[in-house]
Amino acid sequence: MTPIQIVFLLASLCFRASATKHPCTYKEKIYQDGQTFIDVYSECKCDDGKVTCSQRVYPKNPCTYKEKIYQDGQTFIDVYSECTCNDGQVTCSQRAYPKNPCTYKGNNYQDGQTFIDVYSECKCDDGKVTCSQRVYPKNPCTYKEIIYQDGQTFIDVYSECKCDDGQVTCSQRVYPKNPCTYKGNNYQDGQTFIDVYSECKCDDGKVKCSQRVYPKNPCTYKGNNYQDGQTFIDVYSECKCNDGQVTCSQRAYPNCKCDNEKATCSQRVCPIANQPPTNPPPTPLPTTCPCPDTHCCRVVWRYGGKKRTSCCPQCRFTQDTWGSDCVHI
């Protein structure tokens, strides 16, 4: 063997030695280079003496649906539903049908397509065309040589202006009102506050005060409660509650009034006295009224062509109401 052949042989042996990969030792077990193995929930591989592991991928389960078997991830149609097999579970959703195109004035439009028809804006919706009035862009405004977009607001000295489709409208500018300082305290505009016996209000930097109005007290009278200003009757007196104090005055009784035909008692009209009684008394009626002047008057009776007199109804009084009832005396 020549020296050159010896050199090539040694080089070849060195290359083979360096190209040989090493086995792996993992949990006291030996694995050859390139060998894969399972470690509980991981899938591992020996790579030149080193073990690399990754999470184990488990095969997903197929599905059984209406006695048919579907592989994981497989989709299928069930009448009006579209279903998918997902690791043994079938999920279904309503089937999406392709919507119909539209034909409008001899032109074809796809579902969802919009188009212009003179003064209308139209849309194809599943074979039907719906149109609405076309919205035109509004015009800008030119005001004192300055251009403003539609809807834009701006200030012109003491006015607040707005551009509305090419027209400018202005109104008096509203300035924020000033707060108030009163006896070392600050108050916002419109705020009310109490100052001892006065009720005050801040009005654009100025404080205005007026006498404080206190709520008036109710009254208790003979075991009964009455609100301030309430009036009530106490036998022969008319009383009123005034801020916790009861004042009473003599009760004013109404008088009866009459004319030639009828008598009235307070506000109630007494029976008309121009009809003869059904059973006339056996003795003639007196020609003059024997009744006292207070709360009575004469009543004229027409009987037998003659006028006769009798006592009128007298007012009968009660504690709660008076002059509302009559009684013959």
Side-chain angles (χ1 to χ4, degrees), residues 115-129:
F115 56 93
I116 301 299
D117 177 28
V118 192
Y119 300 108
S120 300
E121 186 170 350
C122 304
K123 184 178 180 180
C124 173
D125 185 9
D126 195 18
K128 295 182 180 179
V129 174

PDB file of all heavy atoms in Angstrom, residues 115-129:
ATOM      1  N   PHE A 115     -77.094  51.153  -6.090  1.00  0.00           N
ATOM      2  CA  PHE A 115     -76.996  51.881  -7.347  1.00  0.00           C
ATOM      3  C   PHE A 115     -77.925  53.089  -7.289  1.00  0.00           C
ATOM      4  O   PHE A 115     -78.799  53.200  -6.423  1.00  0.00           O
ATOM      5  CB  PHE A 115     -77.353  50.971  -8.533  1.00  0.00           C
ATOM      6  CG  PHE A 115     -78.699  50.325  -8.435  1.00  0.00           C
ATOM      7  CD1 PHE A 115     -79.823  50.913  -9.012  1.00  0.00           C
ATOM      8  CD2 PHE A 115     -78.869  49.116  -7.759  1.00  0.00           C
ATOM      9  CE1 PHE A 115     -81.074  50.314  -8.925  1.00  0.00           C
ATOM     10  CE2 PHE A 115     -80.114  48.517  -7.670  1.00  0.00           C
ATOM     11  CZ  PHE A 115     -81.217  49.111  -8.246  1.00  0.00           C
ATOM     12  N   ILE A 116     -77.717  54.026  -8.208  1.00  0.00           N
ATOM     13  CA  ILE A 116     -78.464  55.274  -8.260  1.00  0.00           C
ATOM     14  C   ILE A 116     -79.517  55.191  -9.354  1.00  0.00           C
ATOM     15  O   ILE A 116     -79.246  54.754 -10.475  1.00  0.00           O
ATOM     16  CB  ILE A 116     -77.526  56.464  -8.516  1.00  0.00           C
ATOM     17  CG1 ILE A 116     -76.466  56.561  -7.409  1.00  0.00           C
ATOM     18  CG2 ILE A 116     -78.308  57.768  -8.604  1.00  0.00           C
ATOM     19  CD1 ILE A 116     -77.023  56.779  -6.037  1.00  0.00           C
ATOM     20  N   ASP A 117     -80.741  55.631  -9.028  1.00  0.00           N
ATOM     21  CA  ASP A 117     -81.824  55.716 -10.001  1.00  0.00           C
ATOM     22  C   ASP A 117     -82.376  57.142  -9.976  1.00  0.00           C
ATOM     23  O   ASP A 117     -83.267  57.463  -9.177  1.00  0.00           O
ATOM     24  CB  ASP A 117     -82.923  54.703  -9.680  1.00  0.00           C
ATOM     25  CG  ASP A 117     -84.093  54.820 -10.652  1.00  0.00           C
ATOM     26  OD1 ASP A 117     -83.867  55.239 -11.793  1.00  0.00           O
ATOM     27  OD2 ASP A 117     -85.222  54.491 -10.249  1.00  0.00           O
ATOM     28  N   VAL A 118     -81.801  58.003 -10.796  1.00  0.00           N
ATOM     29  CA  VAL A 118     -82.183  59.419 -10.885  1.00  0.00           C
ATOM     30  C   VAL A 118     -82.053  60.084  -9.512  1.00  0.00           C
ATOM     31  O   VAL A 118     -80.956  60.361  -9.065  1.00  0.00           O
ATOM     32  CB  VAL A 118     -83.614  59.601 -11.461  1.00  0.00           C
ATOM     33  CG1 VAL A 118     -83.863  61.070 -11.807  1.00  0.00           C
ATOM     34  CG2 VAL A 118     -83.805  58.744 -12.709  1.00  0.00           C
ATOM     35  N   TYR A 119     -83.205  60.280  -8.796  1.00  0.00           N
ATOM     36  CA  TYR A 119     -83.185  60.961  -7.507  1.00  0.00           C
ATOM     37  C   TYR A 119     -83.247  59.993  -6.325  1.00  0.00           C
ATOM     38  O   TYR A 119     -83.439  60.403  -5.186  1.00  0.00           O
ATOM     39  CB  TYR A 119     -84.371  61.932  -7.410  1.00  0.00           C
ATOM     40  CG  TYR A 119     -84.357  62.990  -8.489  1.00  0.00           C
ATOM     41  CD1 TYR A 119     -85.264  62.959  -9.524  1.00  0.00           C
ATOM     42  CD2 TYR A 119     -83.405  64.010  -8.474  1.00  0.00           C
ATOM     43  CE1 TYR A 119     -85.250  63.922 -10.527  1.00  0.00           C
ATOM     44  CE2 TYR A 119     -83.382  64.978  -9.472  1.00  0.00           C
ATOM     45  CZ  TYR A 119     -84.302  64.926 -10.502  1.00  0.00           C
ATOM     46  OH  TYR A 119     -84.278  65.879 -11.476  1.00  0.00           O
ATOM     47  N   SER A 120     -83.089  58.680  -6.608  1.00  0.00           N
ATOM     48  CA  SER A 120     -83.192  57.675  -5.544  1.00  0.00           C
ATOM     49  C   SER A 120     -81.902  56.874  -5.438  1.00  0.00           C
ATOM     50  O   SER A 120     -81.172  56.711  -6.425  1.00  0.00           O
ATOM     51  CB  SER A 120     -84.372  56.727  -5.808  1.00  0.00           C
ATOM     52  OG  SER A 120     -85.589  57.445  -5.860  1.00  0.00           O
ATOM     53  N   GLU A 121     -81.654  56.376  -4.238  1.00  0.00           N
ATOM     54  CA  GLU A 121     -80.535  55.471  -3.982  1.00  0.00           C
ATOM     55  C   GLU A 121     -81.139  54.104  -3.666  1.00  0.00           C
ATOM     56  O   GLU A 121     -81.956  53.983  -2.753  1.00  0.00           O
ATOM     57  CB  GLU A 121     -79.686  55.963  -2.822  1.00  0.00           C
ATOM     58  CG  GLU A 121     -78.420  55.150  -2.605  1.00  0.00           C
ATOM     59  CD  GLU A 121     -77.484  55.796  -1.610  1.00  0.00           C
ATOM     60  OE1 GLU A 121     -77.721  56.947  -1.234  1.00  0.00           O
ATOM     61  OE2 GLU A 121     -76.512  55.133  -1.209  1.00  0.00           O
ATOM     62  N   CYS A 122     -80.763  53.086  -4.462  1.00  0.00           N
ATOM     63  CA  CYS A 122     -81.409  51.778  -4.375  1.00  0.00           C
ATOM     64  C   CYS A 122     -80.406  50.705  -3.965  1.00  0.00           C
ATOM     65  O   CYS A 122     -79.195  50.873  -4.089  1.00  0.00           O
ATOM     66  CB  CYS A 122     -82.045  51.405  -5.713  1.00  0.00           C
ATOM     67  SG  CYS A 122     -83.225  52.637  -6.331  1.00  0.00           S
ATOM     68  N   LYS A 123     -80.963  49.574  -3.490  1.00  0.00           N
ATOM     69  CA  LYS A 123     -80.139  48.454  -3.043  1.00  0.00           C
ATOM     70  C   LYS A 123     -80.840  47.145  -3.375  1.00  0.00           C
ATOM     71  O   LYS A 123     -82.064  47.026  -3.226  1.00  0.00           O
ATOM     72  CB  LYS A 123     -79.872  48.542  -1.542  1.00  0.00           C
ATOM     73  CG  LYS A 123     -78.936  47.468  -1.023  1.00  0.00           C
ATOM     74  CD  LYS A 123     -78.676  47.636   0.464  1.00  0.00           C
ATOM     75  CE  LYS A 123     -77.726  46.562   0.991  1.00  0.00           C
ATOM     76  NZ  LYS A 123     -77.466  46.719   2.438  1.00  0.00           N
ATOM     77  N   CYS A 124     -80.047  46.171  -3.834  1.00  0.00           N
ATOM     78  CA  CYS A 124     -80.573  44.839  -4.106  1.00  0.00           C
ATOM     79  C   CYS A 124     -80.499  44.004  -2.838  1.00  0.00           C
ATOM     80  O   CYS A 124     -79.433  43.846  -2.247  1.00  0.00           O
ATOM     81  CB  CYS A 124     -79.763  44.188  -5.224  1.00  0.00           C
ATOM     82  SG  CYS A 124     -80.195  42.449  -5.515  1.00  0.00           S
ATOM     83  N   ASP A 125     -81.651  43.471  -2.410  1.00  0.00           N
ATOM     84  CA  ASP A 125     -81.717  42.693  -1.174  1.00  0.00           C
ATOM     85  C   ASP A 125     -82.433  41.380  -1.470  1.00  0.00           C
ATOM     86  O   ASP A 125     -83.663  41.317  -1.469  1.00  0.00           O
ATOM     87  CB  ASP A 125     -82.456  43.490  -0.089  1.00  0.00           C
ATOM     88  CG  ASP A 125     -82.442  42.772   1.244  1.00  0.00           C
ATOM     89  OD1 ASP A 125     -81.726  41.758   1.378  1.00  0.00           O
ATOM     90  OD2 ASP A 125     -83.152  43.218   2.166  1.00  0.00           O
ATOM     91  N   ASP A 126     -81.645  40.339  -1.766  1.00  0.00           N
ATOM     92  CA  ASP A 126     -82.173  38.998  -1.998  1.00  0.00           C
ATOM     93  C   ASP A 126     -83.281  38.996  -3.058  1.00  0.00           C
ATOM     94  O   ASP A 126     -84.382  38.493  -2.834  1.00  0.00           O
ATOM     95  CB  ASP A 126     -82.679  38.398  -0.688  1.00  0.00           C
ATOM     96  CG  ASP A 126     -82.904  36.882  -0.814  1.00  0.00           C
ATOM     97  OD1 ASP A 126     -82.372  36.270  -1.756  1.00  0.00           O
ATOM     98  OD2 ASP A 126     -83.613  36.334   0.048  1.00  0.00           O
ATOM     99  N   GLY A 127     -82.996  39.600  -4.207  1.00  0.00           N
ATOM    100  CA  GLY A 127     -83.942  39.584  -5.319  1.00  0.00           C
ATOM    101  C   GLY A 127     -84.920  40.734  -5.337  1.00  0.00           C
ATOM    102  O   GLY A 127     -85.664  40.902  -6.303  1.00  0.00           O
ATOM    103  N   LYS A 128     -84.964  41.549  -4.261  1.00  0.00           N
ATOM    104  CA  LYS A 128     -85.876  42.686  -4.194  1.00  0.00           C
ATOM    105  C   LYS A 128     -85.091  43.982  -4.124  1.00  0.00           C
ATOM    106  O   LYS A 128     -84.083  44.072  -3.424  1.00  0.00           O
ATOM    107  CB  LYS A 128     -86.795  42.566  -2.966  1.00  0.00           C
ATOM    108  CG  LYS A 128     -87.729  41.378  -3.023  1.00  0.00           C
ATOM    109  CD  LYS A 128     -88.628  41.344  -1.802  1.00  0.00           C
ATOM    110  CE  LYS A 128     -89.569  40.142  -1.846  1.00  0.00           C
ATOM    111  NZ  LYS A 128     -90.444  40.073  -0.652  1.00  0.00           N
ATOM    112  N   VAL A 129     -85.575  45.001  -4.842  1.00  0.00           N
ATOM    113  CA  VAL A 129     -84.920  46.304  -4.876  1.00  0.00           C
ATOM    114  C   VAL A 129     -85.690  47.269  -3.981  1.00  0.00           C
ATOM    115  O   VAL A 129     -86.909  47.428  -4.111  1.00  0.00           O
ATOM    116  CB  VAL A 129     -84.850  46.850  -6.317  1.00  0.00           C
ATOM    117  CG1 VAL A 129     -84.306  48.278  -6.316  1.00  0.00           C
ATOM    118  CG2 VAL A 129     -83.975  45.954  -7.182  1.00  0.00           C
TER     119      VAL A 129
END
